[in-house]
Amino acid sequence: MKEKRTGFATRLGAIAATVGSAVGLGNIWRFPYQAGENGGGAYILVYLICVVLLGIPIMMSEFIIGRSTHKSMKGAIQELTPGSPFKIFSYVGVLGALLICGYYSVVCGWVIEYLWNSADGTLLGHTPEQYSDMFESLVGTPQRCVLWTLLFLFLNFLVLSRGIQKGVERMANIMMPLLFILLIVFCINSLMLTGSMKGMDFLFNPKFEELGWKGVVDAMGQAFMSLSLGVTCLITYSSYFKDDSRLMKDAVTISALDTLVAILAGIVIFPAVFSFGLEPNAGPKLIFEILPTIFQQMPGGMVWSILFFVLLFFASITSTISLSEIPITFMVDEYKISRGKALIITAVFMTIVAVLSALSFSTLSGVKLFEKNIFDFLDYVGPNIFMLLGGLVTAIYVGWFLKKEVIHNQLTNGGKYRSGFVQPYIIFCLRFIAPIAIIIIFLYYTGVF
Ligand code: PFF
């Protein structure tokens, strides 16, 4: 049954919206800082393996669930396998999305401050140490940090309440390729810096002794974060896909593009890190320290910097829109409340999480959860627990419980295309590789090894 649904994306724009969801701060802010903290090359290798063995199969699973029913997770599972307890996990997705979007908005707030400072001319012209201090001063000043975060959330919910996501997505369709081109320009610039090859060595020469279990967990969580997996986002988005869209091709293309953007971001950042004699393991502040240093040595640095932060803003807002849609669509579909009400409830919850996260470097820096401040805790738990758990459930559900015909019909569009080795490959990954890999990670959390 195809319900008529009003929502964020037109059927036509749904694939573009999915790319918009995938490409964001996860690729440009989180991937480089995580790679830097985990020794570079070996982390990236594990990351790539996770994309191929877990990411693409789980992305296809979410697409299969969403497109076959045109419903969000709970309704979809009820339709595909009536009475199945798996639908309970839609709550995990909703909670995960609320928490992730909360702390993610804080980073979006930082992006706005950097955009503002680029435009008023105060960003450039400092030493790398001063950039580090600038960042510390931003996150250490509660008013500034909270204000930018609230401004970002306001814009996010304004777009959602006006139903102008389509417009934003259309803008993003222009902005994304531009961001891509800009990253290539920055890559060339970084590669021309003296000492850049040390950065390339760091990125592409795996040193497994620096990885450890922490690196493996981080790489896996990052693959899920970057591809927007495990929180039902892609189920919701693919519920708007047209029946003739090609799920296998789309999942591979989206994953490849997303991974490419992350790698390009790495090639922009690390040659510069080594060339300027900075530390790769600076943590969440990494790009905010390096990028201004890069821009200011480029001719026309101010223009590059404004352009970059504008594009990054668009890449980020298309991701937060998709995160916000998860609870909104869920409440509308499940509790039959109006979209407006669902939006307000989502906005209130996210704002609370965001403000707490924004304050975690200043007023609330003393509040620790498992030895981490609130922001760092959410940045860990969101991808490494919520998304992995959601991914595990999706893999088991589609791999073991969903009828083979549904999978086959979705992958081949009712037999129109051949699925070749793809279907057995993804079923194998979903049945065995993903559950075993994710369960090992959860055992690691319990301290078994
Ligand atoms: N994939 C986005 C990024 O890399 O920035 C973040 C994200 C969006 C995660 C949507 C989860 C999600 F549902």
Side-chain angles (χ1 to χ4, degrees):
M1 184 188 65
K2 312 266 178 315
E3 278 181 7
K4 177 125 183 53
R5 307 168 67 198
T6 53
F8 53 96
T10 56
R11 292 242 164 142
L12 258 180
I15 305 255
T18 308
V19 178
S21 164
V23 175
L25 289 169
N27 310 59
I28 290 169
W29 161 72
R30 200 170 187 277
F31 176 80
Y33 105 66
Q34 292 256 322
E37 276 187 344
N38 289 301
Y43 168 91
I44 292 180
L45 192 65
V46 176
Y47 176 84
L48 294 176
I49 295 172
C50 289
V51 169
V52 174
L53 292 182
L54 314 178
I56 295 177
I58 293 177
M59 184 179 281
M60 282 190 202
S61 311
E62 294 204 19
F63 284 175
I64 289 169
I65 299 174
R67 203 207 31 190
S68 61
T69 57
H70 296 291
K71 287 187 173 149
S72 57
M73 180 167 173
K74 198 158 168 232
I77 293 200
Q78 182 59 25
E79 182 178 320
L80 290 168
T81 41
S84 158
F86 277 93
K87 56 179 182 282
I88 294 170
F89 283 94
S90 49
Y91 295 98
V92 176
V94 170
L95 184 61
L98 288 167
L99 296 177
I100 291 169
C101 197
Y103 89 85
Y104 193 98
S105 307
V106 176
V107 188
C108 300
W110 300 343
V111 170
I112 305 184
E113 155 129 345
Y114 276 68
L115 172 58
W116 179 273
N117 291 348
S118 305
D120 78 0
T122 53
L123 186 68
L124 304 186
H126 305 279
T127 62
E129 294 73 40
Q130 285 170 326
Y131 284 124
S132 175
D133 295 345
M134 246 181 183
F135 180 83
E136 301 294 347
S137 140
L138 164 63
V139 297
T141 316
Q143 302 83 328
R144 250 161 90 200
C145 211
V146 170
L147 205 78
W148 291 123
T149 305
L150 291 180
L151 175 66
F152 179 81
L153 280 173
F154 174 75
L155 294 173
N156 178 57
F157 286 104
L158 187 71
V159 170
L160 285 158
S161 67
R162 291 288 175 92
I164 50 174
Q165 298 90 305
K166 259 187 284 172
V168 173
E169 276 150 18
R170 224 171 285 141
M171 289 279 281
N173 286 349
I174 304 166
M175 302 287 190
M176 285 305 187
L178 268 181
L179 179 67
F180 195 74
I181 295 169
L182 212 64
L183 284 174
I184 292 178
V185 173
F186 294 164
C187 281
I188 297 171
N189 173 73
S190 286
L191 288 173
M192 281 170 18
L193 295 169
T194 35
S196 63
M197 284 307 132
K198 264 200 225 149
M200 294 303 274
D201 181 67
F202 178 81
L203 269 179
F204 297 115
N205 186 5
K207 296 184 193 68
F208 288 97
E209 61 287 2
E210 292 183 27
L211 188 65
W213 273 105
K214 177 188 174 293
V216 175
V217 174
D218 283 350
M220 204 185 275
Q222 174 60 19
F224 279 65
M225 175 73 173
S226 197
L227 298 174
S228 307
L229 301 177
V231 281
T232 77
C233 171
L234 298 185
I235 298 182
T236 311
Y237 266 33
S238 60
S239 68
Y240 293 90
F241 283 4
K242 290 201 293 185
D243 287 326
D244 61 1
S245 58
R246 298 184 57 181
L247 299 189
M248 291 187 284
K249 206 172 114 220
D250 292 343
V252 172
T253 313
I254 293 167
S255 305
L257 275 178
D258 185 78
T259 306
L260 191 60
V261 172
I263 302 281
L264 288 178
I267 301 177
V268 174
I269 303 294
F270 290 101
V273 167
F274 286 91
S275 172
F276 301 131
L278 301 170
E279 289 302 323
N281 59 352
K285 71 176 174 192
L286 182 69
I287 71 159
F288 294 96
E289 224 175 62
I290 303 295
L291 287 171
T293 318
I294 297 177
F295 297 147
Q296 69 179 357
Q297 56 77 42
M298 293 173 76
M302 183 170 164
V303 178
W304 291 116
S305 145
I306 296 176
L307 201 58
F308 176 79
F309 285 113
V310 167
L311 298 178
L312 189 55
F313 171 82
F314 271 94
S316 315
I317 198 163
T318 47
S319 297
T320 54
I321 286 174
S322 72
L323 278 162
S324 315
E325 272 301 338
I326 298 167
I328 295 175
T329 313
F330 176 81
M331 283 186 260
V332 171
D333 284 357
E334 287 314 307
Y335 302 117
K336 312 284 173 234
I337 61 173
S338 70
R339 194 175 153 82
K341 261 197 203 135
L343 198 135
I344 292 171
I345 298 172
T346 305
V348 168
F349 194 96
M350 277 183 188
T351 305
I352 295 171
V353 179
V355 170
L356 294 175
S357 308
L359 292 175
S360 40
F361 302 93
S362 52
T363 321
L364 298 180
S365 61
V367 179
K368 300 276 189 228
L369 301 157
F370 295 92
E371 292 163 24
K372 292 179 191 298
N373 68 29
I374 299 169
F375 178 95
D376 292 336
F377 176 75
L378 293 176
D379 189 30
Y380 190 84
V381 166
N384 296 1
I385 294 190
F386 278 90
M387 292 183 142
L388 291 187
L389 180 62
L392 174 67
V393 171
T394 313
I396 294 178
Y397 175 70
V398 174
W400 292 98
F401 293 91
L402 190 59
K403 285 198 204 89
K404 284 280 174 343
E405 302 98 80
V406 177
I407 300 177
H408 184 74
N409 270 336
Q410 288 303 313
L411 292 181
T412 61
N413 289 6
K416 206 159 141 207
Y417 303 108
R418 281 160 42 88
S419 76
F421 72 94
V422 177
Q423 186 168 341
Y425 169 76
I426 75 153
I427 291 190
F428 180 74
C429 293
L430 296 172
R431 285 195 159 184
F432 303 106
I433 299 189
I436 292 173
I438 300 172
I439 287 169
I440 290 177
I441 300 295
F442 285 138
L443 287 177
Y444 160 78
Y445 292 145
T446 61
V448 173
F449 50 91

